[in-house]
Amino acid sequence: MEEMTQSECMTLSRCEKRYTMRYVEGLVPLNTHPALSMGVAVHEGLRSASVDEGIKALREMSGPVWLPFEREKQELREGHVSAMVGGALNMWSDWPDMQEVVFRLPLRNPKTGRASRKHVLSGVWDGAWTDGDEVILGEWKTAGILNEDYILRLDIDFQVSAYLVAASRHFGKPVRKVRYRVIKKPTIKQKKTETLDEYLERLHLDYLERQEHYFYETLVTRTDEQLRGWEEQAWEMHKRVLDLKAGRIPLMNTNSCISRGRCPYFDHCIGAVPKTAFRKLEDTHPELRR
C-alpha cells in the first residue's frame, strides 16, 4: 500500500507536472530550501520545548558551512529560529500532551465506505490535547505574511479537514476543533550600523515585546458536512494519482510557476537544466520518518 499525504494532495492541486516530478519520479532539488529548513527547525524546537534543539535540527539540514559569507547566513538563520522558538515558548505555555503524531489510516471511498487497495492516508499532526472527553488538535505554522485572507482561508483549508478526519478515525470519536497557531517570520531587518549580534539581540527583544504582532492563535472548526466534502475530493485526487502513476500525461499549470515562490522544477520545465540536476529520493515521504 502506498502512502498519500495532504502535502502530496496540495502539490497535485497546484500542478500535475510538479506532482509527477516530486511524487512519481521522486526528484527533489539538491539543496533544501532555507524556508523549509527553518520551518522544520521551528517545529522541532516547539516539539522539544528547546531553542537548542531547534538550532540543532537546522544545522543538520543545512550541512557543513565552509565559506565566511555562508557562515554569516547560517548564523542569521539560526538567530531567526532562536527568536521564533523562544518567543513562541514564552507566548504559549500550554502545549499538548501528544506532539508530532504520525498516523496511517485507510483512505475510503465516501460512497461505498470501502478502503482503497492502493493508498492509505498518512501524515503528521503537530499536537493533540486529550484531557477529558474532547480531543482538540494543534497545528503550528510559520508565515511571512499574516493577513485577513490568510485567516479566512483557514475556514476551507484542506489540511485542517484532512487532519480532523484522520483524528476522528484515530481516536474513534468525532474530532472537530483545531487550535491553530501562527508564528510570523522576522519583520525587522539588520541595520547597516548594526553588527549581526546587535541585530539578533534586538530581534529577540522584538519577539518578546510585540507578541501581538508575531503570534496569532485561532480555533478552527469543521462540520460533518465539510468533512464529507473533503473525503469526496480526497477520493477524486486519489483517482488522479493512480492515473498519473499509470502513465497519464501530467498537465502543467504555468500560473503556479512563480506564485508563492519559484517552483523548484521551473528551470527544468523551461529546459534550462536536465533531470540529473536533481537528486532522487529513496523514500517519497521522508517527513513521516522523522
Side-chain angles (χ1 to χ4, degrees):
M1 296 285 280
E2 296 183 14
E3 293 168 309
M4 193 170 87
T5 67
Q6 186 56 33
S7 296
E8 184 177 344
C9 290
M10 290 170 62
T11 302
L12 177 64
S13 67
R14 290 177 186 171
C15 176
E16 289 187 355
K17 177 70 173 180
R18 178 170 178 169
Y19 175 87
T20 301
M21 291 281 288
R22 171 61 180 82
Y23 289 101
V24 178
E25 300 185 45
L27 300 177
V28 295
L30 293 175
N31 298 314
T32 303
H33 194 282
L36 178 60
S37 299
M38 283 188 59
V40 173
V42 169
H43 271 73
E44 178 57 27
L46 299 179
R47 184 198 66 79
S48 60
S50 168
V51 171
D52 290 341
E53 288 299 316
I55 293 175
K56 178 182 176 182
L58 181 66
R59 289 174 178 172
E60 289 175 349
M61 286 181 289
S62 302
V65 178
W66 306 107
L67 300 177
F69 78 92
E70 291 179 333
R71 188 174 300 111
E72 184 167 333
K73 285 185 177 180
Q74 179 67 9
E75 290 174 355
L76 177 63
R77 286 193 289 267
E78 290 179 8
H80 285 177
V81 169
S82 176
M84 294 168 73
V85 173
L89 294 176
N90 182 74
M91 173 71 183
W92 295 298
S93 59
D94 56 332
W95 296 92
D97 48 306
M98 299 176 64
Q99 294 204 53
E100 295 289 317
V101 181
V102 178
F103 61 86
R104 190 174 187 271
L105 300 164
L107 180 65
R108 298 191 180 279
N109 184 326
K111 293 182 179 179
T112 66
R114 293 179 181 176
S116 167
R117 292 179 292 180
K118 294 291 186 179
H119 286 124
V120 293
L121 176 65
S122 299
V124 184
W125 61 64
D126 292 334
W129 285 269
T130 58
D131 292 339
D133 294 332
E134 186 178 39
V135 175
I136 300 177
L137 294 189
E139 184 68 17
W140 337 130
K141 294 293 184 184
T142 60
I145 298 175
L146 178 60
N147 54 25
E148 185 180 5
D149 288 342
Y150 185 107
I151 296 167
L152 289 174
R153 183 190 56 81
L154 297 180
D155 288 337
I156 58 172
D157 184 84
F158 257 37
Q159 186 179 54
V160 170
S161 300
Y163 287 177
L164 287 174
V165 168
S168 298
R169 295 180 186 171
H170 179 86
F171 292 104
K173 57 184 175 182
V175 181
R176 298 292 183 265
K177 297 177 181 178
V178 177
R179 290 177 67 178
Y180 204 98
R181 292 175 173 176
V182 184
I183 306 168
K184 283 185 69 173
K185 296 176 182 178
T187 57
I188 61 172
K189 298 185 180 298
Q190 183 177 359
K191 298 177 182 178
K192 293 182 179 180
T193 57
E194 285 181 316
T195 66
L196 181 59
D197 287 342
E198 288 171 338
Y199 162 67
L200 292 179
E201 182 179 353
R202 183 166 62 91
L203 179 65
H204 278 74
L205 188 61
D206 201 40
Y207 268 87
L208 296 177
E209 292 183 342
R210 293 201 297 157
Q211 292 182 329
E212 73 288 346
H213 174 72
Y214 285 107
F215 305 104
Y216 177 80
E217 178 175 335
T218 187
L219 186 67
V220 184
T221 63
R222 289 290 185 272
T223 64
D224 292 349
E225 183 180 0
Q226 287 175 310
L227 296 186
R228 281 194 298 271
W230 175 86
E231 291 184 294
E232 290 171 353
Q233 295 200 43
W235 188 255
E236 290 302 314
M237 286 187 173
H238 148 77
K239 292 192 289 186
R240 293 188 191 184
V241 166
L242 294 180
D243 287 342
L244 289 171
K245 292 188 175 180
R248 169 186 168 182
I249 296 175
L251 301 179
M252 184 183 297
N253 177 16
T254 56
N255 287 329
S256 71
C257 291
I258 55 174
S259 65
R260 297 179 63 185
R262 183 188 180 105
C263 174
Y265 306 102
F266 179 76
D267 289 336
H268 170 71
C269 289
I270 63 174
V273 299
K275 289 184 178 179
T276 52
F278 301 87
R279 61 186 175 94
K280 187 172 179 61
L281 291 175
E282 295 182 4
D283 183 352
T284 308
H285 297 288
E287 72 277 9
L288 301 177
R289 281 19 116 182
R290 286 203 298 265

